[in-house]
């Protein structure tokens, strides 16, 4: 029996876009964990560095759905913002848990791959809408905490480069 061979290079755009989508998902989760921890820190008094890290670790171990519940309780988001978060959660869950199972047949043809790529990009747009909504909240809390944004950005960049 002859096996079906697929040119894997044709899948590279799918893999690249999915990798970027996973990074978008991680960014949302990190933003929410950081925002909730900053809110705890600002409302309950200064957390020690160990307590801050412990909060980040604890929140980082939660599902994205649970994180969204945490942030909705702590931040007075508009209905539109809550809708954007829910849409991002649905997009994330589809991409992470179901995309390859439900769309594997699309990956066999050029037309199917183009359709799959468009779908991933549409889901990423929902993720990036949520990230764009969370970004100013995080920046405001960082400023309230008295953290220098340029120094903060520099320290983050160093962590990723090492």
């Amino acid at each position: 029996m002859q096996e079906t061979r697929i040119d894997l290079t044709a899948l590279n755009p799918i893999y690249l876009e999915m990798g970027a989508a996973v990074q978008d998902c991680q960014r949302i989760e990190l933003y929410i964990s950081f925002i909730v921890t900053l809110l705890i820190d600002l409302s309950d008094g200064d957390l020690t560095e160990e307590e801050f890290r412990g909060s980040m670790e604890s929140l980082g171990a939660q599902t994205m759905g649970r994180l969204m519940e945490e942030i909705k309780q702590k931040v007075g988001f508009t209905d539109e913002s809550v809708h954007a978060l829910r849409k991002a959660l649905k997009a994330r869950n589809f991409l992470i848990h179901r995309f390859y199972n439900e769309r594997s047949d699309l990956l066999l043809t050029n037309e199917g791959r183009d359709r799959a790529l468009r779908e991933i990009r549409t889901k990423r747009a929902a993720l990036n809408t949520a990230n764009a909504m969370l970004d100013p909240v995080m920046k405001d809390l960082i400023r309230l905490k008295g953290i220098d944004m340029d120094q903060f950005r520099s320290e983050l960049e160093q962590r990723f480069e090492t």
Side-chain angles (χ1 to χ4, degrees):
M1 182 158 124
Q2 189 176 18
E3 76 178 78
T4 304
R5 297 183 64 70
I6 299 172
D7 179 6
L8 296 179
T9 57
L11 294 174
N12 284 344
I14 300 290
Y15 296 150
L16 181 65
E17 200 70 30
M18 280 297 286
V22 169
Q23 186 175 7
D24 295 337
C25 294
Q26 290 295 305
R27 194 169 95 206
I28 289 175
E29 293 174 23
L30 178 63
Y31 273 13
I32 293 174
S33 296
F34 196 59
I35 288 168
V36 171
T37 299
L38 281 170
L39 286 168
I40 292 168
D41 186 49
L42 289 166
S43 66
D44 294 341
D46 285 337
L47 296 175
T48 66
E49 188 172 326
E50 186 176 312
E51 290 169 330
F52 196 93
R53 286 180 193 219
S55 176
M56 288 292 293
E57 280 183 34
S58 174
L59 290 166
Q62 294 183 21
T63 65
M64 189 166 157
R66 182 68 196 122
L67 286 173
M68 287 190 176
E69 289 305 314
E70 286 279 340
I71 200 167
K72 284 191 315 190
Q73 290 174 10
K74 303 232 185 286
V75 178
F77 283 129
T78 64
D79 290 343
E80 182 182 329
S81 297
V82 170
H83 176 72
L85 284 172
R86 285 191 180 128
K87 190 172 178 180
L89 177 60
K90 285 181 181 179
R92 179 244 182 237
N93 287 343
F94 175 78
L95 291 170
I96 301 300
H97 297 295
R98 298 192 333 264
F99 175 79
Y100 283 110
N101 288 336
E102 294 181 13
R103 301 296 190 262
S104 61
D105 60 320
L106 293 178
L107 305 182
L108 300 174
T109 67
N110 285 332
E111 183 181 302
R113 287 188 292 275
D114 288 343
R115 184 173 150 212
L117 203 52
R118 283 191 305 274
E119 185 171 22
I120 297 167
R121 288 177 176 152
T122 299
K123 302 292 185 198
R124 281 195 68 210
L127 294 167
N128 287 319
T129 296
N131 276 321
M133 180 194 68
L134 293 169
D135 190 55
V137 173
M138 185 181 70
K139 285 178 180 173
D140 286 346
L141 291 172
I142 287 170
R143 276 190 219 89
L144 278 173
K145 178 69 180 150
I147 298 170
D148 180 284
M149 281 299 292
D150 292 330
Q151 180 183 349
F152 180 72
R153 187 175 292 111
S154 175
E155 288 174 12
L156 278 179
E157 288 171 359
Q158 288 176 359
R159 283 185 183 181
F160 282 107
E161 290 178 7
T162 58

